[in-house]
Amino acid sequence: MIRHLHIENYALIEHLDIDLHSGFSVITGETGAGKSIIIGAVGLLLGQRADSRAIKEGAKRCVIEALFDVSDENLEAFFEENDLDYDASECVLRRELTAAGKSRTFINDTPVSLIQLKEIGERLIDVHSQHKNLLLGKENFQQSILDALAGNQQLLADYQAEYKEYRLLCRQLEEAVAEAKRNREDEDYLRYQAEQLAEADLKDGEQEELEAELETLEHAEEIKSSLFQASGCLRAAGDGADALALLRNGIASLRSVAGVYASADELAERMDSCYIELKDIADELESQAEDVEYNPRRLAFVQERLDVIYSLQKKHGVDSADELLSMLRELEEKLLSIENSDDFIEEIRAKMHHQEEKAQALAKQLSEARHAEAKVVEKAMAEKLVPLGMPNVRFKCSVQSLEDELSETGYDQVQFLFNANKSGELKPVSQIASGGEIARVMLSLKALVAGEVKLPTIIFDEIDTGVSGSIAEKMAKMMDEMSRQGRQVLSITHLPQIAALGSYHYKVYKEDTEEETLSHIVQLEEDERVAEIAHMLSGETLTQAALDNARSLLKNNH
């Protein structure tokens, strides 16, 4: 439950601090005093869309903060999952808006995402405003109410997990069928491409080897001449003037004086090493020169082979034979996939049917639970609505099952049908009920759900629209009964019958200063409650009769 609410620089509120209590509390005030502003501020803690225009004029930022008692809420798992500090007794939610349009959210002073704030906020507060009456026209809302009353939360979660897997397989099947169709249309062309690449009989690294060989063949005469010329520099043809002969002579000269000159031996060894290396080079030059020859037939073959490779590269938009080989492998895999596509599709279809059966089984359990609970809801709603001024009410919870049409919530269509009279056709609540009747239906549904879903705080924003007198008093008693089930209930109301039943009474009022208008909220003491309820009974002018009536209302209800 909310223990303390702080609002700063929001709309007409400059600074608001109010302690709230468990049980049933009422909030009153003149139209336009700022009651809805407070609801809007609380809505920001539930992750609702922020608008920087809501910041009080002239202020740089606004702050909405609520301190919650969470000692009975079992929120430890949420804090662990989101890596947040956990306090078993208190939790503080805060939302800050800046004039620049930035929004920051905090849980226990730790920055969090808006999604995290919304998740925990919706577990702590349920705000029922007038526009939520429109939900009665939406099938998913009616179904969610029925599921909550039937205790279907875990069963629904299990079903939705299986349904999600089923839909995934459905999409996979659609994609596989579509791809198989496209591939079959392209199969002839793909096979032609693959055959053309296969006929080329490409080898890894072949292109680089052929290009190197082509360079050699095209310059064979030049290369052969250069090799022989280099060899000749080292070894002349028998005239004794070649470099190797000169080295041999030099080595012999050094060794002849080795006995009388200590360094001669070392120098001779070094020259001998050079001789051996140069002799080896000369032999290699002569060998390679013999191997190089001009071969027109081989040149033509290499050129033709490279022309094939270059032509395929240009056709397929690649830069190497290796890429062509990679493309061939991909084409072969694709063709194999086309050949096996029917088997693949049948495999997916079998999985899909199996998954559909699992989802159908859970959907059937959901449907059975909904049909059973529908009877209970019809009886319970009649019991709640008859005392609220509808003695002839007829309420039906229609569950229509379409077993061949699975959806995210099963195969049921749930609709609340209603008629406040003995005769006449039952029609959807949103089509036939008046504003006051819809308010009573919604309150009755909330009262039913409150018994099944443990929400710490429920705020009713003028749920009493369209009712008065004894009906309003009975609605107030219903809200009071909800508060006695261990939750905090706050009702914003214009009706004295409801205001008199609250255990605590808060008043919202406006104050005009020389420069601006501000909204405030205060908790009323007993005498102040009498005066406020008397004003609600008689208007601006207080009469003794109104005061006596107010005291009577308070006395009878406490």
Side-chain angles (χ1 to χ4, degrees):
M1 60 168 251
I2 306 174
R3 283 169 46 189
H4 185 83
L5 181 63
H6 169 78
I7 302 174
E8 183 182 328
N9 294 328
Y10 182 74
L12 298 179
I13 298 173
E14 183 177 57
H15 193 93
L16 181 151
D17 276 288
I18 192 75
D19 291 323
L20 298 172
H21 308 275
S22 60
F24 182 36
S25 299
V26 294
I27 301 175
T28 63
E30 294 180 4
T31 300
K35 300 186 297 297
S36 296
I37 293 174
I38 295 173
I39 294 298
V42 171
L44 289 177
L45 293 179
L46 300 178
Q48 291 180 7
R49 184 177 177 273
D51 188 341
S52 60
R53 290 175 297 179
I55 299 175
K56 186 176 178 295
E57 188 174 350
K60 292 182 179 179
R61 68 166 191 164
C62 77
V63 179
I64 297 94
E65 181 177 282
L67 170 64
F68 292 86
D69 181 342
V70 294
S71 53
D72 296 325
E73 306 312 323
N74 300 317
L75 294 174
E76 188 171 4
F78 170 84
F79 282 84
E80 287 181 358
E81 289 170 9
N82 292 280
D83 195 23
L84 296 169
D85 292 336
Y86 176 62
D87 184 326
S89 59
E90 292 184 350
C91 174
V92 177
L93 304 187
R94 186 167 82 252
R95 181 97 177 261
E96 297 180 2
L97 307 179
T98 69
K102 292 184 179 179
S103 171
R104 297 197 301 164
T105 54
F106 302 84
I107 297 176
N108 290 343
D109 288 328
T110 300
V112 296
S113 69
L114 191 61
I115 292 174
Q116 290 170 309
L117 184 78
K118 179 181 173 67
E119 182 180 348
I120 192 171
E122 289 180 346
R123 293 173 66 171
L124 295 173
I125 315 173
D126 175 38
V127 178
H128 182 90
S129 55
Q130 291 184 56
H131 77 272
K132 281 201 172 180
N133 289 339
L134 300 175
L135 291 173
L136 275 177
K138 297 183 178 180
E139 286 183 11
N140 58 347
F141 171 76
Q142 297 174 45
Q143 186 165 282
S144 68
I145 289 285
L146 186 59
D147 281 334
L149 294 172
N152 285 342
Q153 290 86 343
Q154 187 57 54
L155 181 57
L156 181 60
D158 293 342
Y159 165 77
Q160 287 175 335
E162 299 296 348
Y163 176 75
K164 182 179 179 181
E165 183 65 23
Y166 165 65
R167 288 304 307 160
L168 177 64
L169 288 167
C170 287
R171 286 193 295 273
Q172 288 179 356
L173 180 62
E174 290 172 4
E175 290 168 3
V177 170
E179 184 178 6
K181 182 180 178 182
R182 287 193 302 271
N183 288 341
R184 286 193 184 97
E185 291 171 353
D186 298 337
E187 183 177 5
D188 290 344
Y189 180 62
L190 294 174
R191 196 170 298 282
Y192 165 73
Q193 287 183 309
E195 288 173 354
Q196 190 180 44
L197 288 171
E199 285 172 4
D201 194 24
L202 302 170
K203 304 289 189 300
D204 286 330
E206 178 186 15
Q207 181 178 351
E208 292 78 6
E209 292 177 6
L210 288 172
E211 287 173 340
E213 185 180 358
L214 179 64
E215 287 290 320
T216 300
L217 289 169
E218 288 180 336
H219 301 85
E221 297 292 343
E222 180 183 348
I223 294 169
K224 193 177 188 74
S225 174
S226 296
L227 290 171
F228 274 128
Q229 185 176 355
S231 172
C233 290
L234 295 173
R235 184 158 47 206
D239 58 5
D242 60 84
L244 292 174
L246 291 173
L247 274 172
R248 283 197 303 274
N249 291 337
I251 293 167
S253 296
L254 284 170
R255 284 178 174 160
S256 68
V257 295
V260 294
Y261 185 63
S263 298
D265 242 356
E266 181 187 349
L267 292 169
E269 287 296 326
R270 290 171 65 185
M271 286 184 70
D272 194 44
S273 295
C274 293
Y275 173 79
I276 292 170
E277 180 65 18
L278 288 171
K279 185 176 183 303
D280 186 60
I281 291 172
D283 292 342
E284 183 70 21
L285 286 169
E286 290 171 2
S287 174
Q288 289 194 20
E290 291 295 333
D291 289 341
V292 174
E293 62 175 330
Y294 177 66
N295 187 336
R297 292 181 63 185
R298 179 64 184 173
L299 176 63
F301 170 80
V302 170
Q303 287 175 328
E304 184 179 344
R305 184 68 178 156
L306 284 171
D307 284 344
V308 170
I309 294 173
Y310 293 150
S311 176
L312 288 172
Q313 286 176 3
K314 184 176 181 181
K315 178 178 180 179
H316 294 288
V318 296
D319 299 319
S320 69
D322 289 344
E323 289 178 274
L324 290 173
L325 284 168
S326 177
M327 181 175 289
L328 174 60
R329 287 190 288 270
E330 289 176 7
L331 287 168
E332 288 172 342
E333 288 175 5
K334 206 161 193 177
L335 288 167
L336 182 62
S337 174
I338 292 172
E339 292 171 5
N340 298 329
S341 61
D342 288 343
D343 293 339
F344 179 62
I345 287 171
E346 284 309 309
E347 183 181 342
I348 296 177
R349 183 174 280 115
K351 288 181 180 178
M352 184 194 72
H353 286 320
H354 177 66
Q355 190 62 36
E356 183 180 22
E357 289 173 358
K358 291 171 68 177
Q360 283 277 10
L362 290 172
K364 184 179 180 182
Q365 292 181 47
L366 273 172
S367 186
E368 289 171 351
R370 287 166 181 162
H371 277 89
E373 187 62 26
K375 301 298 182 185
V376 177
V377 172
E378 289 169 4
K379 182 180 178 182
M381 284 296 289
E383 290 174 352
K384 289 189 176 296
L385 289 171
V386 168
L388 294 180
M390 299 184 193
N392 300 313
V393 68
R394 288 177 291 150
F395 186 92
K396 181 174 178 57
C397 186
S398 171
V399 182
Q400 185 179 1
S401 299
L402 305 172
E403 296 186 20
D404 57 342
E405 294 183 20
L406 285 179
S407 72
E408 193 172 347
T409 55
Y411 53 60
D412 296 322
Q413 292 180 344
V414 177
Q415 193 170 47
F416 294 156
L417 304 177
F418 172 88
N419 197 309
N421 305 308
K422 286 184 178 181
S423 60
E425 183 183 354
L426 285 170
K427 292 185 178 180
V429 176
S430 59
Q431 295 179 17
I432 195 172
S434 65
E437 289 169 341
I438 286 179
R440 282 173 274 177
V441 169
M442 283 300 288
L443 178 59
S444 299
L445 287 171
K446 288 278 183 178
L448 285 179
V449 172
E452 300 295 332
V453 180
K454 190 166 174 54
L455 277 167
T457 298
I458 302 176
I459 302 175
F460 291 105
D461 184 10
E462 299 185 5
I463 189 130
D464 50 35
T465 300
V467 300
S468 60
S470 63
I471 303 304
E473 183 180 350
K474 289 170 182 174
M475 291 177 71
K477 288 181 178 178
M478 189 177 290
M479 286 185 273
D480 184 46
E481 181 61 31
M482 291 168 66
S483 75
R484 296 180 190 279
Q485 296 173 355
R487 59 183 50 81
Q488 181 184 49
V489 177
L490 291 90
S491 176
I492 295 175
T493 182
H494 287 291
L495 298 180
Q497 293 85 356
I498 292 179
L501 204 69
S503 300
Y504 304 92
H505 190 155
Y506 300 87
K507 179 180 179 180
V508 179
Y509 66 95
K510 284 196 298 189
E511 176 190 27
D512 291 324
T513 68
E514 291 184 1
E515 294 140 359
E516 58 188 348
T517 299
L518 300 175
S519 284
H520 304 279
I521 183 170
V522 293
Q523 183 176 340
L524 300 181
E525 299 297 334
E526 190 64 28
D527 289 344
E528 293 171 322
R529 287 194 72 180
V530 171
E532 174 67 7
I533 293 173
H535 276 301
M536 296 172 75
L537 288 164
S538 65
E540 186 175 346
T541 303
L542 272 182
T543 64
Q544 188 59 46
L547 289 167
D548 291 342
N549 196 358
R551 289 191 185 94
S552 177
L553 279 173
L554 285 166
K555 182 179 179 181
N556 291 337
N557 290 323
H558 295 280

PDB file of all heavy atoms in Angstrom, residues 127-140:
ATOM      1  N   VAL A 127      -5.369   1.683 -10.867  1.00  0.00           N
ATOM      2  CA  VAL A 127      -6.151   2.917 -10.948  1.00  0.00           C
ATOM      3  C   VAL A 127      -7.316   2.694 -11.896  1.00  0.00           C
ATOM      4  O   VAL A 127      -7.117   2.381 -13.073  1.00  0.00           O
ATOM      5  CB  VAL A 127      -5.285   4.099 -11.445  1.00  0.00           C
ATOM      6  CG1 VAL A 127      -6.152   5.355 -11.574  1.00  0.00           C
ATOM      7  CG2 VAL A 127      -4.135   4.356 -10.495  1.00  0.00           C
ATOM      8  N   HIS A 128      -8.536   2.838 -11.366  1.00  0.00           N
ATOM      9  CA  HIS A 128      -9.715   2.720 -12.220  1.00  0.00           C
ATOM     10  C   HIS A 128     -10.317   4.103 -12.425  1.00  0.00           C
ATOM     11  O   HIS A 128     -10.954   4.664 -11.550  1.00  0.00           O
ATOM     12  CB  HIS A 128     -10.769   1.801 -11.602  1.00  0.00           C
ATOM     13  CG  HIS A 128     -11.969   1.639 -12.501  1.00  0.00           C
ATOM     14  ND1 HIS A 128     -12.044   0.644 -13.446  1.00  0.00           N
ATOM     15  CD2 HIS A 128     -13.092   2.375 -12.634  1.00  0.00           C
ATOM     16  CE1 HIS A 128     -13.184   0.774 -14.113  1.00  0.00           C
ATOM     17  NE2 HIS A 128     -13.831   1.820 -13.639  1.00  0.00           N
ATOM     18  N   SER A 129     -10.073   4.651 -13.606  1.00  0.00           N
ATOM     19  CA  SER A 129     -10.632   5.954 -13.945  1.00  0.00           C
ATOM     20  C   SER A 129     -11.848   5.770 -14.838  1.00  0.00           C
ATOM     21  O   SER A 129     -12.134   4.663 -15.303  1.00  0.00           O
ATOM     22  CB  SER A 129      -9.580   6.813 -14.643  1.00  0.00           C
ATOM     23  OG  SER A 129      -9.070   6.135 -15.775  1.00  0.00           O
ATOM     24  N   GLN A 130     -12.571   6.864 -15.107  1.00  0.00           N
ATOM     25  CA  GLN A 130     -13.816   6.751 -15.864  1.00  0.00           C
ATOM     26  C   GLN A 130     -13.598   6.157 -17.252  1.00  0.00           C
ATOM     27  O   GLN A 130     -14.416   5.384 -17.736  1.00  0.00           O
ATOM     28  CB  GLN A 130     -14.458   8.145 -16.003  1.00  0.00           C
ATOM     29  CG  GLN A 130     -14.994   8.692 -14.683  1.00  0.00           C
ATOM     30  CD  GLN A 130     -15.701  10.019 -14.897  1.00  0.00           C
ATOM     31  OE1 GLN A 130     -16.623  10.118 -15.690  1.00  0.00           O
ATOM     32  NE2 GLN A 130     -15.252  11.031 -14.178  1.00  0.00           N
ATOM     33  N   HIS A 131     -12.476   6.499 -17.880  1.00  0.00           N
ATOM     34  CA  HIS A 131     -12.273   5.997 -19.242  1.00  0.00           C
ATOM     35  C   HIS A 131     -12.100   4.483 -19.269  1.00  0.00           C
ATOM     36  O   HIS A 131     -12.277   3.848 -20.306  1.00  0.00           O
ATOM     37  CB  HIS A 131     -11.055   6.675 -19.885  1.00  0.00           C
ATOM     38  CG  HIS A 131      -9.738   6.154 -19.415  1.00  0.00           C
ATOM     39  ND1 HIS A 131      -9.083   6.659 -18.313  1.00  0.00           N
ATOM     40  CD2 HIS A 131      -8.952   5.150 -19.888  1.00  0.00           C
ATOM     41  CE1 HIS A 131      -7.962   6.004 -18.131  1.00  0.00           C
ATOM     42  NE2 HIS A 131      -7.842   5.082 -19.066  1.00  0.00           N
ATOM     43  N   LYS A 132     -11.749   3.881 -18.122  1.00  0.00           N
ATOM     44  CA  LYS A 132     -11.591   2.424 -18.100  1.00  0.00           C
ATOM     45  C   LYS A 132     -12.925   1.712 -18.245  1.00  0.00           C
ATOM     46  O   LYS A 132     -12.959   0.512 -18.507  1.00  0.00           O
ATOM     47  CB  LYS A 132     -10.883   1.987 -16.817  1.00  0.00           C
ATOM     48  CG  LYS A 132      -9.381   2.201 -16.862  1.00  0.00           C
ATOM     49  CD  LYS A 132      -8.668   1.329 -15.863  1.00  0.00           C
ATOM     50  CE  LYS A 132      -7.159   1.422 -16.057  1.00  0.00           C
ATOM     51  NZ  LYS A 132      -6.428   0.595 -15.095  1.00  0.00           N
ATOM     52  N   ASN A 133     -14.034   2.432 -18.046  1.00  0.00           N
ATOM     53  CA  ASN A 133     -15.340   1.806 -18.295  1.00  0.00           C
ATOM     54  C   ASN A 133     -15.467   1.377 -19.752  1.00  0.00           C
ATOM     55  O   ASN A 133     -16.227   0.469 -20.087  1.00  0.00           O
ATOM     56  CB  ASN A 133     -16.474   2.780 -17.949  1.00  0.00           C
ATOM     57  CG  ASN A 133     -16.590   2.996 -16.442  1.00  0.00           C
ATOM     58  OD1 ASN A 133     -16.124   2.177 -15.665  1.00  0.00           O
ATOM     59  ND2 ASN A 133     -17.199   4.090 -16.046  1.00  0.00           N
ATOM     60  N   LEU A 134     -14.692   2.044 -20.629  1.00  0.00           N
ATOM     61  CA  LEU A 134     -14.726   1.693 -22.054  1.00  0.00           C
ATOM     62  C   LEU A 134     -14.178   0.294 -22.299  1.00  0.00           C
ATOM     63  O   LEU A 134     -14.454  -0.314 -23.329  1.00  0.00           O
ATOM     64  CB  LEU A 134     -13.911   2.715 -22.863  1.00  0.00           C
ATOM     65  CG  LEU A 134     -14.391   4.176 -22.789  1.00  0.00           C
ATOM     66  CD1 LEU A 134     -13.423   5.081 -23.530  1.00  0.00           C
ATOM     67  CD2 LEU A 134     -15.798   4.312 -23.368  1.00  0.00           C
ATOM     68  N   LEU A 135     -13.393  -0.215 -21.333  1.00  0.00           N
ATOM     69  CA  LEU A 135     -12.823  -1.557 -21.497  1.00  0.00           C
ATOM     70  C   LEU A 135     -13.897  -2.629 -21.591  1.00  0.00           C
ATOM     71  O   LEU A 135     -13.652  -3.719 -22.103  1.00  0.00           O
ATOM     72  CB  LEU A 135     -11.889  -1.875 -20.331  1.00  0.00           C
ATOM     73  CG  LEU A 135     -10.575  -1.076 -20.276  1.00  0.00           C
ATOM     74  CD1 LEU A 135      -9.838  -1.373 -18.979  1.00  0.00           C
ATOM     75  CD2 LEU A 135      -9.700  -1.384 -21.473  1.00  0.00           C
ATOM     76  N   LEU A 136     -15.093  -2.310 -21.066  1.00  0.00           N
ATOM     77  CA  LEU A 136     -16.166  -3.303 -21.118  1.00  0.00           C
ATOM     78  C   LEU A 136     -16.568  -3.633 -22.554  1.00  0.00           C
ATOM     79  O   LEU A 136     -17.231  -4.630 -22.801  1.00  0.00           O
ATOM     80  CB  LEU A 136     -17.391  -2.811 -20.339  1.00  0.00           C
ATOM     81  CG  LEU A 136     -17.357  -3.089 -18.831  1.00  0.00           C
ATOM     82  CD1 LEU A 136     -18.571  -2.499 -18.149  1.00  0.00           C
ATOM     83  CD2 LEU A 136     -17.280  -4.581 -18.558  1.00  0.00           C
ATOM     84  N   GLY A 137     -16.170  -2.796 -23.483  1.00  0.00           N
ATOM     85  CA  GLY A 137     -16.467  -3.080 -24.886  1.00  0.00           C
ATOM     86  C   GLY A 137     -15.390  -3.895 -25.572  1.00  0.00           C
ATOM     87  O   GLY A 137     -15.505  -4.201 -26.752  1.00  0.00           O
ATOM     88  N   LYS A 138     -14.339  -4.284 -24.841  1.00  0.00           N
ATOM     89  CA  LYS A 138     -13.221  -5.007 -25.445  1.00  0.00           C
ATOM     90  C   LYS A 138     -13.195  -6.449 -24.957  1.00  0.00           C
ATOM     91  O   LYS A 138     -13.152  -6.712 -23.766  1.00  0.00           O
ATOM     92  CB  LYS A 138     -11.903  -4.310 -25.106  1.00  0.00           C
ATOM     93  CG  LYS A 138     -11.825  -2.894 -25.674  1.00  0.00           C
ATOM     94  CD  LYS A 138     -10.482  -2.255 -25.395  1.00  0.00           C
ATOM     95  CE  LYS A 138     -10.418  -0.864 -26.010  1.00  0.00           C
ATOM     96  NZ  LYS A 138      -9.116  -0.214 -25.754  1.00  0.00           N
ATOM     97  N   GLU A 139     -13.205  -7.375 -25.915  1.00  0.00           N
ATOM     98  CA  GLU A 139     -13.274  -8.803 -25.582  1.00  0.00           C
ATOM     99  C   GLU A 139     -12.063  -9.265 -24.765  1.00  0.00           C
ATOM    100  O   GLU A 139     -12.193 -10.075 -23.862  1.00  0.00           O
ATOM    101  CB  GLU A 139     -13.375  -9.631 -26.866  1.00  0.00           C
ATOM    102  CG  GLU A 139     -14.739  -9.556 -27.536  1.00  0.00           C
ATOM    103  CD  GLU A 139     -14.812 -10.438 -28.762  1.00  0.00           C
ATOM    104  OE1 GLU A 139     -13.894 -11.252 -28.954  1.00  0.00           O
ATOM    105  OE2 GLU A 139     -15.782 -10.309 -29.522  1.00  0.00           O
ATOM    106  N   ASN A 140     -10.874  -8.742 -25.094  1.00  0.00           N
ATOM    107  CA  ASN A 140      -9.687  -9.221 -24.371  1.00  0.00           C
ATOM    108  C   ASN A 140      -9.748  -8.836 -22.890  1.00  0.00           C
ATOM    109  O   ASN A 140      -9.266  -9.558 -22.030  1.00  0.00           O
ATOM    110  CB  ASN A 140      -8.402  -8.699 -25.021  1.00  0.00           C
ATOM    111  CG  ASN A 140      -8.352  -7.186 -25.085  1.00  0.00           C
ATOM    112  OD1 ASN A 140      -9.338  -6.499 -24.875  1.00  0.00           O
ATOM    113  ND2 ASN A 140      -7.177  -6.657 -25.395  1.00  0.00           N
TER     114      ASN A 140
END
